[in-house]
């Protein structure tokens, strides 16, 4: 069962900001980052940068509520109340090279399944998403037979075209060729709008050209 229409509308209009207070994450005895204090407001576009292994992906997963911090507090604020951590996922769409698609589903089946849980942006349909993804010839092709670039296009299309107030992207240009870069630019121009966008990147200019702020995770050691 998908999310009811009235709840979808409440989610889309109900996000206000994210407040991080003294956030830290460690694995075993090693701190990845510490003392992260940050306010992210509705509609902001923020890039989190750093070298490979610096903790960018960990930070994004923590922000989404997928993993827990070792210290500090993350608060998602709605227009009328604090959003519980177990509900963070309702407000976000997420694209990352390490997230898996359903390999035994076709492209169309994956999109239909995803749309049961994430409402599509107004005016979009599954066939339109397939067309906009540049994958019109692969509608009935199994995901397990996709190239890495085709999978990345599918992941990005689902994230950008979902009607969520927060968009989280982890190295969105991974596995894309030069044609994919131009396609990504078009997605950014047409489907970010007033959404809050947080990108983890080590290709600062190509992936984060539209961001309002650039924050290095390496400043929080």
């Amino acid at each position: 069962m998908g999310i009811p229409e009235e709840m979808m509308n409440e989610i889309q209009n109900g996000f206000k900001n994210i407040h991080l207070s003294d956030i830290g994450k460690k694995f075993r005895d090693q701190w990845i980052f510490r003392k992260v204090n940050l306010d992210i407001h509705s509609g902001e576009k923020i890039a989190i940068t750093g070298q490979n292994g610096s903790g960018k992906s960990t930070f994004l997963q923590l922000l989404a509520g997928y993993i827990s911090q070792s210290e500090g507090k993350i608060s998602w604020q709605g227009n009328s109340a604090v959003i519980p951590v177990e509900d963070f996922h309702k407000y976000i769409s997420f694209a990352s090279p390490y997230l898996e698609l359903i390999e035994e589903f076709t492209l169309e089946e994956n999109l239909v399944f995803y749309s049961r849980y994430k409402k599509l942006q107004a005016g979009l349909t599954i066939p339109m998403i397939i067309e906009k993804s540049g994958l019109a010839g692969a509608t009935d092709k199994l995901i397990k037979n996709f190239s890495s670039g085709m999978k990345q296009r599918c992941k990005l299309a689902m994230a950008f075209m979902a009607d969520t107030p927060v968009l989280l992207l982890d190295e969105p240009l991974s596995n894309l060729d030069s044609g994919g870069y131009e396609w990504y630019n078009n997605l950014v121009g047409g489907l970010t709008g007033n959404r809050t966008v947080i990108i983890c990147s080590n290709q600062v200019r190509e992936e984060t050209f539209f961001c309002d702020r650039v924050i290095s995770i390496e400043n929080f050691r």
Side-chain angles (χ1 to χ4, degrees), residues 13 32 40 51-52 74 108 124 135 168 173 185-186 199 210 221:
N13 298 317
I32 309 303
I40 302 170
Q51 298 299 313
N52 290 337
I74 298 178
E108 183 176 34
L124 288 177
L135 299 171
L168 304 181
L173 293 181
N185 288 348
N186 290 333
I199 304 178
F210 63 100
R221 295 297 189 186

Side-chain angles (χ1 to χ4, degrees), residues 7 113 161 203:
M7 185 178 294
F113 180 80
M161 298 181 196
Q203 299 187 54

Side-chain angles (χ1 to χ4, degrees), residues 143-158:
I143 295 295
K144 68 180 181 181
N145 296 323
F146 275 29
S147 68
S148 58
M150 292 171 71
K151 289 180 179 179
Q152 185 66 2
R153 279 179 175 258
C154 182
K155 294 172 188 178
L156 288 172
M158 291 192 300

Side-chain angles (χ1 to χ4, degrees), residues 42-63:
S42 178
E44 276 199 287
K45 314 294 190 282
I46 296 178
I48 306 297
T49 64
Q51 298 299 313
N52 290 337
S54 61
K56 301 186 305 296
S57 296
T58 299
F59 178 81
L60 206 64
Q61 292 179 63
L62 191 152
L63 196 64

